[in-house]
Amino acid sequence: MSAETVSVTGWGRTAPSAARLIRPRTYEEARAALRDCGARGGIPRGLGRAYGDAAQNAGGTVFDMTGLDRIHTIDADAGTVRCDAGVSLHRLMEALLPLGWFVPVTPGTRQVTVGGAIGADIHGKNHHVSGAFSRHVRSLDLLTADGSIRTVTPGTPLFDATAGGMGLTGVILAATLQLLPVETSLMSVDTERASDLDDLMARLTATDHRYRYSVAWIDLLARGAATGRAVLTRGDHAPLDALPTRARRTPLAFRPGRLPAAPSFLPEGLLTRRTVGLFNELWYRKAPRARTGELQKISTFFHPLDGVPHWNRIYGRGGFVQYQFVVRHGQEGALRRIVRRISERRCPSFLAVLKRFGEADPGWLSFPLPGWTLALDIPAGLPGLGVLLDELDEEVAAAGGRVYLAKDSRLRPELLTAMYPRLADFRALRAELDPRGVFVSDLARRLNLQELS
């Protein structure tokens, strides 16, 4: 079991902190790492795709769980898989697609571990149909602060605290997942343009029920009558009879392409209002006004940025802030005001997406609520960014919404109770399960997730 002191950061590359990184490869090594984590405690970490400080622990220990990476069993009849927490969604797709199965929920990257997917209770383009990742977990093995390994099942308080609990209830060691049957590894995709935010929301509200997957890219630099203009992309797994004759010979082939990695060092100021505005204009104009039934690879539809390794470097050494919030149905006015403010502020974001969520998930700190969620990337060095986002937080909280903890790097702790009503239950269970505060992270300290009051 290797151990070294390293500087750890989230995918946004802001606020790095030094920690001792331990990489267990067995359950016993994980137990030993837990016993040896020291006074500053420890936190599990997967592939480092949480954008903020959720998988950092300044002066303490970080458990790199990618060494636990075995796929134990695949039941191709029942459509279930049991695997270690360090297995990535990419590896699951490689193993499962040839058998006619797909992961039930995937975010915008497949470079996420199963443990991380549960700890953040990730969502995808299909939340309005399938909910978040934890809804498809049949059981999980959890290493708790006392060194015991518990089998945890849905419907129990420990499961609901762990799903979306950001690794603060224990170390997920393995899980059993229910899968989605598919006939091919291609997607049938419909694409259309929306002229503004109201047009976009009307299209999503009227027709989202027809699609398993739905997402809209928004131009947040557009102003005036074009505020919130968007490209709406929706689809489902293509049936076998939709494929051309030649493609039917290998309908379940999974060969995601890769482009060269982004350079280690890029000039500061590359992403300006001018350059992002030009990109947004070209992206919107090149999209079809309406196109139906286009066949796309799974990697193209779900994970276009995975084709560019280390794409987070394009923001320069200062990194970037990913801001994602949700407001409930009936609070569209708040969404309009926020989009208008971002547009008027001229925030240079070219990765901005809007989705509709379905029913809330059972996890006490799970992010989704039935409503609208907007996610955007903003260079961390943008002048006045902190003040702007603080004001947006207030707007979101007043509308009964919340921000996504797996992407947060700067939320003020006093807003957390309003955003997450089950926070007191989470803190109480943690106090009972982990009275010495063994599991802790920079996120937990910043937001007082371990405090009872």
Side-chain angles (χ1 to χ4, degrees), residues 141-227:
D141 292 344
L142 186 71
L143 173 63
T144 52
D146 61 2
S148 64
I149 297 176
R150 310 185 188 198
T151 298
V152 186
T153 55
T156 61
L158 185 51
F159 186 93
D160 291 344
T162 300
M166 307 310 297
L168 295 170
T169 61
V171 179
I172 299 170
L173 299 174
T176 299
L177 311 177
Q178 185 67 52
L179 306 170
L180 176 70
V182 296
E183 295 182 12
T184 75
S185 61
L186 294 176
M187 306 296 297
S188 177
V189 181
D190 295 352
T191 305
E192 58 190 284
R193 291 192 300 200
S195 59
D196 57 32
L197 182 61
D198 284 340
D199 181 30
L200 172 62
M201 289 193 292
R203 291 171 188 255
L204 285 166
T205 301
T207 60
D208 240 15
H209 63 281
R210 301 177 190 169
Y211 298 89
R212 179 177 295 274
Y213 303 100
S214 180
V215 67
W217 167 88
I218 294 187
D219 181 0
L220 289 178
L221 284 176
R223 291 185 290 181
T227 299

Side-chain angles (χ1 to χ4, degrees), residues 319-390:
F320 68 99
V321 172
Q322 166 97 175
Y323 186 66
Q324 182 168 7
F325 67 89
V326 58
V327 293
R328 293 180 180 271
H329 294 304
Q331 293 292 335
E332 286 78 9
L335 176 63
R336 292 186 185 97
R337 288 191 295 273
I338 291 172
V339 169
R340 192 178 306 116
R341 290 193 65 180
I342 295 170
S343 174
E344 291 172 351
R345 182 63 177 76
R346 308 293 285 158
C347 292
S349 175
F350 72 94
L351 295 175
V353 296
L354 182 77
K355 292 178 288 199
R356 288 177 79 240
F357 280 158
E359 292 303 311
D361 299 285
W364 292 345
L365 297 186
S366 291
F367 168 65
L369 294 170
W372 304 92
T373 180
L374 177 65
L376 60 150
D377 293 349
I378 311 172
L382 185 71
L385 178 60
V387 173
L388 172 65
L389 294 184
D390 283 348

